Structure formats: C-alpha cells, structure tokens
Amino acid sequence: MTTVSHARARRRDRRVYLRSHPVLFGLLAVTRGRPVRRLGRTLLVHGPDAYREALTRLPLDRTAAGTTGAAARAALQGGGGVLFDQEGGGHRADRRGLAGGLGAAGVEELRAGWQPLLVRRLAPLERGGEVDLVGLARELSGAVVCALSGSGAAPLAVAEAAAEAAAASVRSHLPGPRRPRAEAAATRATERLRLLLGSADEALPAMVAVAAVNTTVAALPRAVAWCADAGLWEQAADEELRPALADELLRVTAASPLLPRVAAADGAVGGCPVRGGDRLLLVARHAAGAHRRDPDALRPAGPAVDRLVFGAGPHACPGARLARVQLADVLGALAPYRPVVTRARVDRGAALPGWRALTVRARSTGAGS
C-alpha cells in the first residue's frame, strides 16, 4: 500500500462525482474549508461535529420539499410511513419491523443466500475471464431485497425497478436543473417495483428495495475498485482485518455522500445560527474524512467516524450492518484472485454517484486500466 496507489484509487473514484454531479461536487469541494458555511438560506455542513449536531439536536422537517423524506414520499406514494419522512412512534415501529431482517441473526440468514451467488458470479475469474462488479451488485442487492420481502421475483428485475425509481426521484431534491416529468417516471417505476414485490398497498417494502439496491450498487463496485487500485488485497485476505477494511472502504466511498435536510425550527449548527426553513446540505463524505484520510484496516478511523456515512441518531441507516457484512464477504471472495480493474464507466443517470460498469480480472491473467 503506497501513497501513489491510493492517489490512483482516489483519482478513479473522483470520476463518479465529477462526471455525474460536477457542479454540485465542485461547490462542495471549494467550501469544505470550514465546518459550516452559509450561502443564503442554505448551510453546507462539512465538519463531523456539526454534521452530528444537525442530525441529532436540530429539529428537522422530514417532509419538506428538497429532502430525502419528501423524495421518498413522492416516489413511493407512501403518504407517510417510509422511514425517511417519519418521526415518533411510527418511525420506531417501522424500524423495529426491520430489525429482524437487518439485525445480526437476520444478516446471517441473508449471507446463506448470497454466498452461493458470489461463488457463481465470480467463477469466471478462475478461468481467466472478467466479471462486472456492477452486475454482481445488482443481482446481490436484488436477491437480498427478495429475501427480505419474501418475493419470488427475479432479483435483477427488482434491482432494475428500484434503480429506475431512485434515478427519477432522488435527483429531484439535489441542487441543479430538474428533469422534466421525473415524478411521473418515478411513479411508473415504483408501481412496477411494488408489483414485483407483491406489496402494492405498502410503501415500506418498496422503500427498503430502493435504499438497499441503490446504495449497494453505488458502494460495492467503488469499494472493490479502490481496494484493487490501492493494493489492499492482503488486508482483504486477512479474516481479522477484513471487517475493518470493509468499514474503511465504505467510509471513503460514502455511497450517500450528501444528505439534504430542512430545519423545522430555529437553532444552531457548528456555532452557525439556523432559522426554521433553512436548507442544510450535510456532506457525509467530508464528515467521515473521505476526502483526506485513505482507507487502512491497520489504522482505521473507528466507528465514531466511519459510521457517519450511515447518518447519526435515531434516523441512522438501519442497513449499516448488512452493508458492512456484505462488502466484507465480497472482498473475501475476491481476495484470492487479487483482481485488477480492466474497465470502468461512470453511470451519469444514477441517483447516487457510481459506476455503470466496473470490470475486473484476476491479476495473474493481466492488468488493465
């Protein structure tokens, strides 16, 4: 592991931001010198302490336009009840409902389903072939969603519908030009997703599908590419270091790099006064130090920092354990091949920054770009 190899990994990973949301992430880069910076009625929150404060101490309007909750409600037509837009008892009840499938015992059951899938999808590496990690991530995430929902649908079909729903809705709450007819497209994709899941009258299963598929497809290929470019396969092969490496890679790739929120009342964040109705752009990747601290399982940032990419407080992502275990299993399955990246193409239309194709090949059969 060298500074040069991490620089190569960082250059490649930066492409997913600069080619999908160049104006937005350019703005975030030039304003990250301060923990909090105000631009009119918008606060850009970069510092870890201010980020935690915004999520745990400032009252937030989770149904306001331009927030994740509003986007989820519009896309899933939930009328409430989709976690992102909930508070109080309803939010706690739905999180308890997810705890069985996403807790320690539930994740172990899911592993029994995805481990044979990994063996099958990675078999071409043994024969000198190539594997597209984006395709693997789609099938893997779709299979997990089907297992959680009890659906008998094809995992790839579920993943495709979830990706379409997110691309048409989540982008509408990011700064910049809005896509025409995005809400209608989101509605059609969500209807298809609900039919596949057999949950036409419920919003929560579709919300779980959208969140699980899009974060997995964004994070997993980026994490593998970083591991390959930075030469971290020795850490990936070590059973004791692998969980910490997975946490570190999730920290630097930050699948949901930006959390848009709106203040519900007056308050303060990082010493900066906040008025009710102010918009907050919470930059998870900066709060977690993804822009300045390279991943290293031997010197990890630790849970107080790396978990920030999953949010903080009662609304922290309930799928964090699943994401960490899943990535660790993928790294462990790939480690014997020491794969290199042979092709990488950015997905300009995805809801989250990521690759449209990320192809790898076992190192012994030749290296690529």
Side-chain angles (χ1 to χ4, degrees):
M1 182 178 60
T2 67
T3 301
V4 172
S5 60
H6 273 294
R8 181 185 183 188
R10 195 172 286 281
R11 283 195 302 272
R12 187 194 299 276
D13 195 65
R14 192 179 294 124
R15 286 164 53 191
V16 300
Y17 297 111
L18 298 181
R19 297 192 182 183
S20 58
H21 304 287
V23 175
L24 172 63
F25 286 98
L27 172 65
L28 297 183
V30 300
T31 61
R32 68 189 181 201
R34 298 180 186 175
V36 182
R37 188 183 294 261
R38 176 181 285 280
L39 297 176
R41 294 296 303 272
T42 298
L43 278 76
L44 301 172
V45 181
H46 301 276
D49 294 336
Y51 176 90
R52 288 191 197 92
E53 187 177 13
L55 288 173
T56 60
R57 300 183 61 184
L58 183 70
L60 298 174
D61 183 350
R62 298 191 177 276
T63 64
T67 66
T68 305
R73 177 180 291 214
L76 302 176
Q77 300 179 336
V82 292
L83 281 187
F84 294 115
D85 63 355
Q86 290 176 309
E87 292 283 8
H91 178 253
R92 289 192 295 271
D94 277 348
R95 286 187 71 98
R96 284 196 298 270
L98 289 173
L102 298 177
V107 170
E108 285 304 308
E109 289 185 14
L110 293 171
R111 290 183 77 197
W114 77 51
Q115 287 175 335
L117 187 156
L118 289 178
V119 172
R120 173 173 57 82
R121 289 299 301 254
L122 298 180
L125 296 178
E126 187 73 35
R127 304 187 295 270
E130 296 184 338
V131 172
D132 177 20
L133 270 298
V134 175
L136 168 64
R138 285 182 182 138
E139 184 172 3
L140 181 61
S141 59
V144 166
V145 168
C146 289
L148 287 171
S149 64
S151 170
L156 286 173
V158 169
E160 180 184 350
E164 288 178 0
S169 61
V170 175
R171 272 179 167 254
S172 68
H173 72 249
L174 293 173
R178 298 185 63 173
R179 293 185 171 185
R181 297 182 293 278
E183 291 184 3
T187 298
R188 290 192 297 272
T190 302
E191 289 175 351
R192 179 185 170 208
L193 177 61
R194 283 178 159 175
L195 286 173
L196 288 169
L197 297 176
S199 58
D201 298 325
E202 299 179 74
L204 188 59
M207 185 283 297
V208 171
V210 168
V213 167
N214 287 279
T215 53
T216 301
V217 172
L220 193 152
R222 288 177 59 200
V224 171
W226 196 304
C227 189
D229 287 340
L232 298 175
W233 291 119
E234 287 188 11
Q235 292 188 4
D238 188 314
E239 291 187 5
E240 293 186 1
L241 292 178
R242 193 182 304 140
L245 178 61
D247 286 345
E248 282 287 278
L249 290 169
L250 289 170
R251 176 181 65 81
V252 296
T253 53
S256 298
L258 180 68
L259 308 181
R261 300 290 187 265
V262 171
D266 293 352
V269 170
C272 181
V274 178
R275 292 174 289 170
D278 279 355
R279 189 175 192 187
L280 298 97
L281 299 181
L282 309 180
V283 191
R285 70 182 307 268
H286 292 168
H291 59 303
R292 52 183 166 77
R293 180 171 181 163
D294 292 330
D296 187 353
L298 295 172
R299 289 172 289 277
V305 176
D306 63 44
R307 303 293 165 82
L308 291 179
V309 296
F310 296 106
H315 280 265
C317 176
R321 179 194 300 272
L322 170 63
R324 296 195 301 269
V325 173
Q326 193 174 72
L327 177 57
D329 277 3
V330 171
L331 294 173
L334 285 168
Y337 302 104
R338 302 296 197 270
V340 295
V341 177
T342 58
R343 186 169 70 99
R345 183 158 59 101
V346 173
D347 191 340
R348 297 172 184 267
L352 299 174
W355 300 107
R356 186 172 184 83
L358 193 289
T359 305
V360 297
R361 178 187 299 159
R363 181 175 295 277
S364 60
T365 63
S369 61

